[in-house]
């Protein structure tokens, strides 16, 4: 990929989530999961990030801010859809102000399902998927 | 609706009188076809309803007399196209420039279709302060952490915030529209996910609405389990907020230890109720199989971890000093703007919806209240409420026993009626106004506790240092999802 990544730095974007996926993503920072120990971090700026982790079905209002954040991430970059809503199979499918998940903006590189996904599943799936990047 | 025709003046005086009697507004609900209903929770626990039938597209605004109605009426204006006559600030709240001019999603009886969104930016006009030395600082809608989306426009001078203009509803999905026309028996998974932090409260409101419309009295065992679930959620949410407040001032030890307690609580609840956030746990007329001994042991384990943590945060002078006098909410503002939950109870108000919920009749609850109105008051109320919830749960567990078999009950599929239900969520009075015809939802309106508190946040930050915004914001810890819907 032309860029050796030892720590995967992600910027979080909520695009219409219920706050469930946010809580579990936050839990990854507690001492039970300690994602930094596994080489995963959530960073403050898309400029510092290797990719986005997106929650929610993508509301119409959040579509542009999401694309702007994506454009601000330097190449090479990856897009992760976290949770059923972002995966396009959540309960808000069909609501008038929603799209059908992250794929309606751009095909995600990794989809983590669950409502919300368990913290250990998020950690394991990102870890396994990262190995495919080298 | 059989109601004598009311004049505009009577409409206003009626509603003002209810407020002056100490009632709490559950919701201002518009219905397709030009009808407005205001549901009030009276101090007696009775829910009363004032109705206004529109001729044309206008109804008299209550906002000048009752400023807490400002956002309700703006929302109705945005999604129904009904105009509140005399409203002092009708800027778009939910809508934005991407919405087609004629698109009023809730004006019809059916679930609204997706409109052709206009290809422009979603930004609404901003309300800012102008003058020499005033800087405009914009934050969001995406944030530098793991937070829900919202856009904040600060007017600042030097370090100090002059004004905060909130641009929320970035996460507006159209849930109330989505519910329109659905079978009431099929909406539970959606209601459970209106808000990841107040899910049990929302689920309980739905269950109570269905039972009320069907005229079904639930057995005590089911009521007790609902109390256990509602209190488990309160503790879960408060532990989260109690972790976030120290994080707002860089007190990492207190933050990490509280997150650890939250994680242990969640792991225990998963074993007992099957879900880390308690999604899909409350159902009309039903209860879950539950290991009461395991729940009792979980509480004892958490209490052991809690006591040294409480001493740590309360004995830390630096932390206590950082919270004092910051982000003040005056009692008069909390009352005038209809503030709810922890925010109101930290400002000298004593209302807690559990006092009026039939579910809690006969149970002793130690209600918390503080008068300081600052971050430290909101922190302290949560500390006391966590302990009170554990005590209440232990009391319920002592009496809890399942008799050999609970009656089997399924809600009728041809349900007809209207119900206004409420509960005390971790974020305050949470109300659902539900109308059903032959089993199908004709209107489902959700008014969560945070809806009343967001305008107060804007008031609380004015005059504070901009660097304290994260701390003040964390002390409110308002959810965006059940506001935006």
């Amino acid at each position: 990929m032309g860029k050796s990544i030892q720590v995967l730095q992600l910027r979080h974007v909520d695009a219409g989530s219920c706050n469930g996926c946010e809580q579990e993503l936050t839990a990854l920072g507690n001492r039970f999961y300690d994602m930094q120990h596994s080489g995963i971090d959530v960073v403050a700026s898309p400029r510092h990030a290797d990719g986005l982790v997106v929650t929610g079905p993508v509301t119409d209002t959040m579509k542009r801010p999401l694309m702007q954040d994506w454009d601000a991430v330097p190449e090479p970059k990856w897009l992760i859809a976290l949770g059923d809503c972002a995966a396009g199979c959540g309960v808000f499918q069909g609501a008038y102000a929603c799209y059908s998940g992250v794929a309606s903006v751009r095909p995600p590189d990794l989809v983590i399902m669950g409502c919300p996904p368990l913290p250990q599943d998020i950690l394991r799936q990102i870890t396994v998927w990262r190995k495919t990047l080298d | 609706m059989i109601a004598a025709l009311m004049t505009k003046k009577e409409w206003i005086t009626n509603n003002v009188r209810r407020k002056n009697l100490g009632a709490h507004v559950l919701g201002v609900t518009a219905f397709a076809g030009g009808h407005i209903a205001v549901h009030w929770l009276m101090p007696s626990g009775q829910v009363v309803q004032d109705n206004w039938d529109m001729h044309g597209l206008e109804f008299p605004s209550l906002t000048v007399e009752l400023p807490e109605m400002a956002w309700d009426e703006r929302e109705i204006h945005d999604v129904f196209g009904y105009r509140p006559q005399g409203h002092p600030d009708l800027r778009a709240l939910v809508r934005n420039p991407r919405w087609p001019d004629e698109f009023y999603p809730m004006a019809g009886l059916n679930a609204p279709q997706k409109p052709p969104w206009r290809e422009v930016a979603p930004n609404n006009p901003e309300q800012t302060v102008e003058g020499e030395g005033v800087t405009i600082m914009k934050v969001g809608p995406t944030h530098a952490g793991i937070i829900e989306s919202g856009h904040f426009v600060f007017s600042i001078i030097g370090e100090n915030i002059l004004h905060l203009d909130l641009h929320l509803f970035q996460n507006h999905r159209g849930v109330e529209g989505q519910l329109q026309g659905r079978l009431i028996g099929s909406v539970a998974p959606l209601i459970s996910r209106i808000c990841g932090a107040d899910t049990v409260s929302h689920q309980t409101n739905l269950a109570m609405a269905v039972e009320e419309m069907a005229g079904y009295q639930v057995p005590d065992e089911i009521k007790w389990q609902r109390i256990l679930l509602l209190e488990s959620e309160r503790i879960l949410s408060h532990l989260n907020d109690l972790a976030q407040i120290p994080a707002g001032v860089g007190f990492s030890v207190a933050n990490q230890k509280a997150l650890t307690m939250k994680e242990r609580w969640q792991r225990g609840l998963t074993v007992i109720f099957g879900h880390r956030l308690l999604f899909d746990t409350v159902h009309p007329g039903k209860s879950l199989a539950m290991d009461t001994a395991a729940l009792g042991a979980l509480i004892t384990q958490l209490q052991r971890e809690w006591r040294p943590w409480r001493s740590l945060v309360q004995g830390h002078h630096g932390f206590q000093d950082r919270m004092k006098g910051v982000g003040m909410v005056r009692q008069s503002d909390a009352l005038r703007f209809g503030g709810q939950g922890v925010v109101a109870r930290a400002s000298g108000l004593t209302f807690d919806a559990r006092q009026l919920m039939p579910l809690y009749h006969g149970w002793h609850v130690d209600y918390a209240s503080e008068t300081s109105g600052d971050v430290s008051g909101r922190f302290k109320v949560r500390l006391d409420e966590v302990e009170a919830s554990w005590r209440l749960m232990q009391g319920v567990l002592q009496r809890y026993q399942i008799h050999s078999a609970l009656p089997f009950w399924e809600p009728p599929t041809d349900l007809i009626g209207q119900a206004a239900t409420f509960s005390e969520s971790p974020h305050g009075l949470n109300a659902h106004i539900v109308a059903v015809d032959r089993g199908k939802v004709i209107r489902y309106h959700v008014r969560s506790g945070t809806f009343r508190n967001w305008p107060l946040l804007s008031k609380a930050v004015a005059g504070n240092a901009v660097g304290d915004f994260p701390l003040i914001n964390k002390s409110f810890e308002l959810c965006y999802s059940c506001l935006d819907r």
Side-chain angles (χ1 to χ4, degrees), chain A residues 105-125:
Chain A
V105 178
R106 195 189 170 278
D109 299 289
L110 172 66
V111 177
I112 303 172
M113 307 242 273
C115 186
L118 298 172
Q120 60 266 36
D121 286 349
I122 305 174
L123 207 51
R124 199 189 57 240
Q125 290 190 42

Side-chain angles (χ1 to χ4, degrees), chain B residues 263-390:
Chain B
E263 179 68 26
R264 277 202 226 287
W265 187 241
Q266 279 188 289
R267 289 183 175 201
L269 295 179
T270 310
V271 174
I272 295 152
F273 295 115
H275 195 278
R276 279 172 60 87
L277 297 169
L278 303 173
F279 287 4
D280 308 318
T281 50
V282 183
H283 305 279
K286 290 191 181 61
S287 67
L288 304 166
M290 182 181 76
D291 184 345
T292 51
L295 187 53
L298 177 67
I299 294 171
T300 317
Q301 185 199 356
L302 260 290
Q303 284 172 325
R304 259 202 307 273
E305 216 169 321
W306 167 267
R307 282 187 284 266
W309 183 82
R310 182 165 182 161
S311 307
L312 169 75
V313 291
Q314 289 211 299
H316 194 295
H317 297 296
F319 177 50
Q320 293 295 328
D321 285 350
R322 280 295 282 111
M323 295 193 290
K324 286 210 176 77
V326 178
M328 295 282 293
V329 176
R330 285 202 304 262
Q331 185 178 336
S332 54
D333 280 342
L335 190 63
R336 228 158 57 88
F337 288 92
Q340 288 298 334
V342 170
V343 173
R345 288 193 289 278
S347 294
L349 300 179
T350 54
F351 177 70
D352 183 314
R354 289 177 290 176
Q355 294 153 351
L356 300 181
M357 284 174 76
L359 189 65
Y360 285 84
H361 278 177
W363 293 101
H364 174 77
V365 185
D366 298 310
Y367 294 106
S369 180
E370 290 287 316
T371 53
S372 59
D374 54 6
V375 173
S376 100
R378 293 186 281 277
F379 189 77
K380 175 74 167 28
V381 167
R382 287 193 182 91
L383 288 177
D384 291 344
E385 288 188 353
V386 166
E387 293 182 0
S389 289
W390 275 326

Side-chain angles (χ1 to χ4, degrees), chain A residues 11-27 29-33 35 42-45 57 59-66 69 91-100 115-116 118-120, chain B residues 96 98-99 103 105 112-115 117 119-122 141-149 169-175 177-178 189-190 193 195-197 244 256 259-260 262-264 266-267 275-277 279 481:
Chain A
R11 157 94 166 182
H12 164 244
V13 176
D14 161 23
S17 161
C18 75
N19 201 19
C21 290
E22 279 66 22
Q23 290 198 57
E24 297 302 45
L25 202 52
T26 304
N30 74 31
R31 69 156 97 137
F32 293 83
Y33 307 106
M35 61 176 163
V42 175
V43 293
S45 164
T59 61
D60 179 67
T61 316
M62 280 309 294
K63 191 176 181 179
R64 277 192 181 215
L66 170 60
D69 263 31
V91 291
F92 303 116
Q93 288 283 97
Y96 65 79
C98 283
Y99 298 99
S100 310
C115 186
L118 298 172
Q120 60 266 36
Chain B
N96 63 58
R98 293 180 58 81
W99 292 41
F103 180 60
Q113 300 295 309
K114 291 177 196 198
W117 302 107
E119 277 308 322
V120 293
T142 65
H143 294 290
I146 307 167
I147 325 171
E148 294 176 273
S149 292
F169 296 90
Q170 312 279 336
N171 280 350
H172 179 67
R173 289 149 297 205
V175 174
Q178 200 186 353
L190 186 51
R193 286 157 182 80
C195 175
Q244 298 305 335
Q256 272 298 332
L259 284 178
T260 301
K262 182 190 175 191
E263 179 68 26
R264 277 202 226 287
Q266 279 188 289
R267 289 183 175 201
H275 195 278
R276 279 172 60 87
L277 297 169
F279 287 4
S481 184

